[in-house]
């Protein structure tokens, strides 16, 4: 109690003394002022380092003080930073404080001053600030040297995203300075005439070797030099991820983590971040040599709990993560070993393995995985050191793979890695009868039975099938059964059996034994072939088949078909269907579009006899016909024709033929009555006729126009469409009259032929009638007369020398003597109205006597006619005839003298023209002077039509241009003047 | 032949500098037997080596610049104003150069290539620090240094053959090299690789002149 009373008294006295002291100090004002302020610089860190002392501190006293520091830049009045620094000050202590400038110190002069105050609890308010110390100037620029340009800060290390201030100091303000950041010009603010400052905000990481900033000094256009800096921008150090530790043997802890980005930089500016492990319970730490894992030695067995801190560190930043764990909860066991199998048989095996020993009473939980036949089974088992497990219900003759892994059973942390081994179970007898089917071909007196079977599945074969046994037993006639052993590679066998009933057993055999038998009974009766085939439509999924149930008991149904119906080895397939089913779907990948599949459905009686119930046929997908029929054109008339394609096979097409399309093109716009208009794929229009019956393979196209051009095209169609496009066949209908013409021409031809035959037969008569033989003048009676007159020079005119179309007309008009020589063409002869005169120049040089000729051949006839006074003129002086120079008087005399026949004389007074015309004259040597008109034999009848033409009507010879009808009357005197 | 000699020198690069210089001296032809040797053969050998070096100087400079970033890697970069006080410039007035006697000419070249070998070593160190992942550049720098050393050896032989005194080897770099900033080091490397080219060009001319004077 006394103590408590004394204490306040002491306290009061102490306080009083302090107050007295304080008042003394404060009264002096100056004693606690900071003195001896010195400022040093660290250019690399851009920091000012201050050191000072406080005067007049009581000896061995400690005082809490606050120092206020002011920093100015360029000039003292430009205060850029003010801050307080609190610390406990001892007597005679030198105080240190640092300040980091964002601006490189070389860029500007800095000024620093400081003042202080006491904030010690022993000195309650009021507090007084000391006076400011004097300004201390910090000028680094002076020590730079004499270079023309400086850029700061040099080789600064910053973190990505930091703000950086860069400056340059140019010695000569006349120089032009351009600065570039990573090759791109940047513009700063001028701090003073020599210094410019650039603020780079949030600098990115560019490369490990740093980002470049340089300035180029130039005077005018002359480059004076370049100066630059490299700014080292580091990536931000990341916190390590997924940090964890575990042990496999209770001796070593293995710690791992994901380090994140590497923050190393070039020029050794910053190495990769370091990692340190610190364990707080033991107080130990370890510098890790790898960047993502570290091993920690467990030294004390007693320590169960660990508290690890992983510290990642680089020059700029430190990051740490922490984990706390119990060692026994972090056991990651080593792999099991010596995995083996014992007592392996067809369905069981014993698996054994070993694990590494850990601590005492350490229990493992092991997991076994068994892979086989595409399945996986999993089992768990707890063990101590040696593990074993009985694998049962295995498949015979199967390769298995078993693997095992283990974990701490009491505190599960992690499974070990797997350790595994393969083993194969032994074989067993096949467990199921093979699936057998047959095909029966009945031949006279025997059945050819082909047995087919499907290989047993691996599940049922229980090993490798070595052979099949086929046992055939005659049911009708007791005899020994036949055994056929077929190698395993065969899938069928052929048996030739008599027309008896047979029972066939088929078994599959492996090295252990035989499978149950598959039984089939072959009936003695031939298969019922009278079942009608029904068409069905398939789908992409397959064929849906249904049938009427077989009367009586059945054990099932079988549907069979060929996978390749077009081939000889058609690959018979079958499907077993249960006894209660009356429908099934056959689906297989082998069905192809456009292939017709034939299905047979059998019912299996209880006696295992198969009875054909139904036949189905169809396409999984119908296609358009692959080819078009070859069409023949028949019965072509002017109004119709018939198209026929009777040899076109509808069965071998990739779809059920539903009918035919007949396309007809003609010039007529309108289609025929039964046709309809259609547009072809090429856009052209035509007419189309549809035949709905696939067996109707002919079409009569009628109502056509004669002598017209038609084109047709016949194509079959299925449900999938028409046949391929092909060219149209061209047909031209014949002319309507041409047939009539034939009807007329043909009889005419026969008539002419008949006439010709008759003519031939009656040729003698016709000849005699139309052109009798010309009498031979040598045989004529006139010769005797001539001979009689003794005219040795007189010759008979030869017919071949005769000019048939020339006459000489001799005229003797009174008082004048003119000679004309006339020529008449054959035409003129036939047209007596026109007589052409052909004068010959030589002969008309002077007047001459007329000569009158007479064809003696026609003498008789001419005299008979009496129409013209023909005077027979004997040609007694042929040379003189050439010149025709005989005087008319002589001629007249000669005529009177020589021709003494009884012919009537015609006096010159009765007619002015007297001529005798005939074919020949003996002027063979004077042909040149004759007209060149064609010489033709005169018509037999024309001779009689010769007549005299009066001289006054004689026309001149025709010129090419003159008309035949013109008649020119010439006065001979005038003409030949 | 000379190239192999250069490689022989290169094998001793890990040794401290004095030891290397000693070895270099040992490998050089003995000074005592200078008189009977004809200068034509070593001149020819040195000339061949200089020609060979000349083919690769441009590649070295371009490779160096490519790895330094802007502005060095910028197309057409050239900064002739950048010089190193420790490296004598190769450029000289033609008249002055032509008026040099053989001894002076060889002494200048020998001094330059001695400085170049030391500077190339420095640049190689700098670059293995800055660009450790660029073996092509480091290999080219190393090759250039070995060739410069080889040429030095050849020149010493010529000088011996001509009866000229071989100047003593000295450390041209001094103490200044280590405080340089990254940018300064890049600049330094640029000047060294550039001057290596210029001095090689000059050495070809020097040796051509000598070759004409001392025909085989």
């Amino acid at each position: 109690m006394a103590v408590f009373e004394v204490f306040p008294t002491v306290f009061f006295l102490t306080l009083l003394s302090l107050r007295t002291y304080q008042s003394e100090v404060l009264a002096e004002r100056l004693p606690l002022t900071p003195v001896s302020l010195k400022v040093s610089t660290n250019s690399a860190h851009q920091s000012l380092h201050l050191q000072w002392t406080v005067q007049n501190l009581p000896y061995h006293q400690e005082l809490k003080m606050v120092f206020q520091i002011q920093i100015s830049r360029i000039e003292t009045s430009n205060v850029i930073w003010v801050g307080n620094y609190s610390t406990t000050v001892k007597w005679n202590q030198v105080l240190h404080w640092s300040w980091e400038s964002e601006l490189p110190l070389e860029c500007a002069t800095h000024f620093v001053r400081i003042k202080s105050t006491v904030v010690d609890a022993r000195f309650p308010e009021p507090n007084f600030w000391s006076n400011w110390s004097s300004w201390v100037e910090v000028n680094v620029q002076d020590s730079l040297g004499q270079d023309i340009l400086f850029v700061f800060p040099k080789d600064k290390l910053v973190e990505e995203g930091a703000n950086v201030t860069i400056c340059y100091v140019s010695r000569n303000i006349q120089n032009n300075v351009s600065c570039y950041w990573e090759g791109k010009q940047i513009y700063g603010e001028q701090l003073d005439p020599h210094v410019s400052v650039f603020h780079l905000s949030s600098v990115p990481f560019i490369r490990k070797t740093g980002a470049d900033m340089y300035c180029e000094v130039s005077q005018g256009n002359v480059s004076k030099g370049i100066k630059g800096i490299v700014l080292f921008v580091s990536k931000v150090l990341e916190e390590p991820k997924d940090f964890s530790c575990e042990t496999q043997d209770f001796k070593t802890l293995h710690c791992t983590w994901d380090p994140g980005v590497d923050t190393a930089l070039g020029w050794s500016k910053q190495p990769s971040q370091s990692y340190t492990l610190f364990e707080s319970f033991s107080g130990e730490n370890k510098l890790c040599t790898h960047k993502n894992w570290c091993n920690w030695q467990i030294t004390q067995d007693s320590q169960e709990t660990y508290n690890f801190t992983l510290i990642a560190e680089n020059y700029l930043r430190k990051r740490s993560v922490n984990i706390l764990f119990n060692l026994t909860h972090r056991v990651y066991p080593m792999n099991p070993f010596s995995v083996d199998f014992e007592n392996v048989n067809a369905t069981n095996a014993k698996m054994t393995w070993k694990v590494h020993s850990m601590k005492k009473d350490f229990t493992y939980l092991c997991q076994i995985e068994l892979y086989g036949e595409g399945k996986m089974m999993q089992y768990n088992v707890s063990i101590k050191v040696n593990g074993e497990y009985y694998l049962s219900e295995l498949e015979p003759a199967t390769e298995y793979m078993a693997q095992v892994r283990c974990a701490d059973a009491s505190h599960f942390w992690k499974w070990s890695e797997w350790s595994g081994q393969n083993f194969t179970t032994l074989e067993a007898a096949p467990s199921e009868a093979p699936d057998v089917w047959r095909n029966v071909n009945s031949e006279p007196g025997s059945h050819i039975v082909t047995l087919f079977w499907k290989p047993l599945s691996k599940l049922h074969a229980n090993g490798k099938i070595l052979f099949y046994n086929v046992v055939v037993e005659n049911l009708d006639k007791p005899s020994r059964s036949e055994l056929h052993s077929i190698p395993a590679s065969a899938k069928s066998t052929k048996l030739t059996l008599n027309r008896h009933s047979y029972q066939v057993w088929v078994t599959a055999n492996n090295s252990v034994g035989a499978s149950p038998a598959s039984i089939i009974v072959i009936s003695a009766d031939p298969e019922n072939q009278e079942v009608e085939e029904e068409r069905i439509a398939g789908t992409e999924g397959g064929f849906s088949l249904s049938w009427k149930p077989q009367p009586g008991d059945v054990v099932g149904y079988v549907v069979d078909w060929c996978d390749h119906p077009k081939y000889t080895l058609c690959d018979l397939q079958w499907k077993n269907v249960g006894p209660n089913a009356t429908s099934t779907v056959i689906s297989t990948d082998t069905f192809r579009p456009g292939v017709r599949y034939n299905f047979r459905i059998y019912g299996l009686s209880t006696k295992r006899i198969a009875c054909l119930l139904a036949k189905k046929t169809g396409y999984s997908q119908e296609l358009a016909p692959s080819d078009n029929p070859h069409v023949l054109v028949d019965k072509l008339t002017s109004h119709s024709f018939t198209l026929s394609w009777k040899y076109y096979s509808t069965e071998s097409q990739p779809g059920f033929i539903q009918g035919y399309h007949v396309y007809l093109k003609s010039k007529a716009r309108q289609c025929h009555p039964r046709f309809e208009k259609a547009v072809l794929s090429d856009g052209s229009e035509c007419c189309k006729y549809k035949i709905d019956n696939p067996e109707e393979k002919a079409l009569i196209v009628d109502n056509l126009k004669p002598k017209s051009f038609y084109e047709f095209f016949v194509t079959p169609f299925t449900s999938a469409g028409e046949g391929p496009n092909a060219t149209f066949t061209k047909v031209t209908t014949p002319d309507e009259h041409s047939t009539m013409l034939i009807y007329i021409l043909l009889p005419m031809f026969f008539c002419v032929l008949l006439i010709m035959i008759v003519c031939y037969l009656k040729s003698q008569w016709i000849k005699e009638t139309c052109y009798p033989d010309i009498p031979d003048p040598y045989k004529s009676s006139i010769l005797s007369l001539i001979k009689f007159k003794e005219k040795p020079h007189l010759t008979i005119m030869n017919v071949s020398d005769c000019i048939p179309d020339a006459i000489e007309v001799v005229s003797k008009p009174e008082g004048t003597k003119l000679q004309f020589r006339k020529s008449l063409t054959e035409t003129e002869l036939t047209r007596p109205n026109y007589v052409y005169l052909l004068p010959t120049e030589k002969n008309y040089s002077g007047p001459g006597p007329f000569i009158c000729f007479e064809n003696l051949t026609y003498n008789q006839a001419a005299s008979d006619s009496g129409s013209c006074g023909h005077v027979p003129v004997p040609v007694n002086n042929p040379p003189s005839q050439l010149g025709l120079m005989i005087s008319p008087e002589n001629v007249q005399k000669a005529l009177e003298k020589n021709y003494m026949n009884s012919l009537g004389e015609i006096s010159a007074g009765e007619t002015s023209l007297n001529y005798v015309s005939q074919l020949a004259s003996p002027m063979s040597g004077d042909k040149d002077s004759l007209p060149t008109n064609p010489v033709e034999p005169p018509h037999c009848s024309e001779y009689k039509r010769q007549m005299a033409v009066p001289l006054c009507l004689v026309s001149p010879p025709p010129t090419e241009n003159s008309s035949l009808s013109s008649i020119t009357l010439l006065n001979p005197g005038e003409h030949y003047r | 032949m000379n190239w192999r000699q250069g490689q022989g020198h290169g094998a001793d690069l890990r040794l401290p500098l004095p030891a290397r210089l000693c070895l270099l001296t040992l490998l050089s032809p003995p000074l005592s037997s200078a008189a009977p040797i004809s200068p034509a053969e070593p001149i020819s050998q040195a000339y061949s080596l200089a020609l060979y070096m000349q083919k690769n100087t441009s590649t070295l400079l371009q490779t160096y610049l490519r790895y330094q970033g802007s502005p060095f890697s910028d197309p057409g970069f050239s900064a002739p104003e950048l010089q190193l006080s420790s490296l004598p410039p190769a450029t000289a007035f033609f008249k002055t150069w032509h008026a040099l006697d053989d001894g002076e000419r060889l002494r200048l070249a020998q001094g330059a290539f001695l400085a170049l070998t030391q500077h190339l070593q420095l640049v190689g160190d700098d670059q293995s620090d800055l660009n450790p992942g660029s073996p092509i550049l480091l290999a080219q720098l190393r090759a250039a240094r070995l060739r410069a050393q080889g040429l030095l050896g050849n020149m010493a032989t010529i000088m011996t053959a001509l009866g000229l005194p071989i100047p003593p080897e000295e450390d041209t770099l001094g103490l200044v090299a280590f405080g340089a900033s990254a940018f300064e080091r890049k600049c330094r490397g640029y000047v060294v690789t550039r001057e290596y080219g210029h001095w090689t060009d000059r050495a070809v001319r020097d040796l051509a002149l000598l070759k004409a004077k001392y025909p085989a």
Side-chain angles (χ1 to χ4, degrees), chain A residues 155 209 212 214 225 228 267-268, chain B residues 70-71 81 129-130 182-184 186:
Chain A
D155 301 351
T209 54
D212 297 291
Y214 71 95
W267 294 107
S268 305
Chain B
S70 185
E81 68 279 2
D129 198 5
L130 172 68
F183 193 84
E184 286 162 349
K186 288 181 179 182

Side-chain angles (χ1 to χ4, degrees), chain A residues 561-863:
Chain A
W561 71 96
C562 284
D563 261 356
H564 305 290
K566 285 183 178 174
Y567 299 102
T568 317
L569 292 171
C570 76
D571 195 5
L572 185 75
Q573 306 289 320
W574 68 96
K575 183 183 179 181
N576 296 306
V577 187
N580 298 325
T582 54
S583 69
T584 187
V585 174
I586 307 291
S587 59
T588 153
D589 293 339
T590 54
F591 287 147
R592 298 276 171 268
V595 176
R596 185 186 282 200
Y597 293 97
N598 301 307
F599 299 92
R600 295 183 297 185
I601 299 159
Y602 292 87
L604 278 179
S605 70
T606 48
K607 291 181 178 174
R608 312 292 302 180
I609 298 171
C611 173
L612 182 63
L613 298 180
K615 283 183 180 175
K616 314 265 179 183
T617 183
Y619 296 85
S620 68
Q621 186 193 340
E622 282 192 67
L623 300 181
S626 56
D627 56 346
N628 292 319
H630 177 67
V631 181
L632 298 171
V633 182
D634 272 347
K635 298 171 188 169
L636 177 64
T637 69
S638 55
H639 291 287
S640 72
F641 56 79
T642 304
L643 304 174
S644 73
W645 54 94
K646 57 185 175 183
Y647 297 113
Y648 184 69
S649 164
T650 54
E651 295 300 306
S652 60
Q653 294 300 323
F656 293 119
I657 301 293
Q658 295 180 345
Y660 306 93
H661 285 151
V662 181
Y663 292 96
L664 191 69
K665 275 190 198 174
S666 66
K667 283 184 179 174
R669 288 285 176 116
Q670 287 184 335
C671 288
H672 295 82
R674 292 177 298 162
F675 285 76
E676 59 184 20
K677 272 204 171 182
V679 179
L680 294 173
S681 57
D682 61 357
S684 60
E685 282 190 356
C686 67
C687 300
K688 175 177 161 185
Y689 180 70
K690 185 176 179 183
I691 301 171
D692 284 328
N693 181 4
E695 297 308 321
E696 189 182 323
K697 297 178 182 177
L699 176 71
I700 300 168
V701 185
D702 50 9
N703 289 326
L704 304 178
K705 288 181 181 171
K707 209 178 180 183
S708 293
F709 179 68
Y710 292 93
E711 288 177 280
F712 68 86
F713 169 52
V714 179
T715 182
F717 63 91
T718 66
S719 64
E722 291 183 345
N725 281 338
T727 50
F728 278 68
T729 308
K730 297 170 178 62
V731 176
T732 306
T733 50
D735 191 357
E736 194 174 12
H737 303 293
S738 63
T739 49
M740 286 175 67
L741 221 61
I742 288 169
Y743 291 137
I744 295 166
L745 280 176
L746 217 61
M748 275 180 72
F749 173 76
F750 285 112
C751 283
V752 169
L753 198 70
L754 198 69
I755 290 165
M756 283 173 74
I757 293 166
V758 169
C759 285
Y760 178 74
L761 292 174
K762 295 287 180 183
S763 59
Q764 198 59 38
W765 176 78
I766 289 166
K767 186 183 174 186
E768 285 170 4
T769 310
C770 288
Y771 52 97
D773 284 339
I774 297 166
D776 189 350
Y778 289 99
K779 296 175 182 174
S780 172
S781 56
I782 196 75
L783 280 178
S784 57
L785 183 65
I786 291 165
K787 286 176 180 173
F788 179 73
K789 294 282 180 182
E790 291 177 347
K791 296 282 181 179
H793 300 294
L794 193 69
T795 57
I796 300 302
M797 186 179 73
N798 198 338
V799 177
S800 59
D801 295 334
C802 178
I803 309 243
D805 58 346
I807 59 167
E808 277 188 61
V809 178
V810 179
S811 171
K812 191 183 174 185
E814 285 185 5
T816 56
K817 286 182 181 176
L818 283 171
Q819 184 178 357
F820 287 93
R821 195 169 167 185
K822 293 180 191 169
S823 177
L824 290 174
T825 65
E826 182 199 8
T827 318
E828 284 156 354
L829 288 171
T830 59
R831 295 172 66 182
N833 288 343
Y834 307 101
V835 175
Y836 299 98
L837 297 176
L838 297 171
T840 50
E841 289 173 15
K842 289 179 182 174
N843 299 337
Y844 290 104
S845 58
F850 290 151
I851 296 171
C852 184
F853 294 94
E854 186 181 10
N855 188 341
L856 298 178
T857 310
Y858 297 96
N859 196 9
Q860 187 63 46
S863 61

Side-chain angles (χ1 to χ4, degrees), chain A residues 476-532:
Chain A
D476 298 340
K477 189 175 160 189
S479 62
R480 281 180 65 184
S481 299
E482 287 177 42
L483 170 68
H484 304 268
S485 196
I486 318 287
S489 56
K491 288 182 181 177
S492 64
T493 187
K494 202 172 261 188
L495 305 172
T496 306
L497 304 176
N498 293 328
R499 289 237 169 187
H500 293 138
S501 294
Y502 286 92
Q503 183 160 312
V504 182
W505 286 270
V506 181
T507 57
N509 297 264
N510 63 13
S511 64
V512 178
S515 70
S518 193
I519 301 166
I520 272 190
V521 173
I522 311 296
S523 168
D525 305 323
E527 209 165 69
N528 177 18
Q529 295 293 345
E530 290 173 4
V531 178
E532 259 193 37

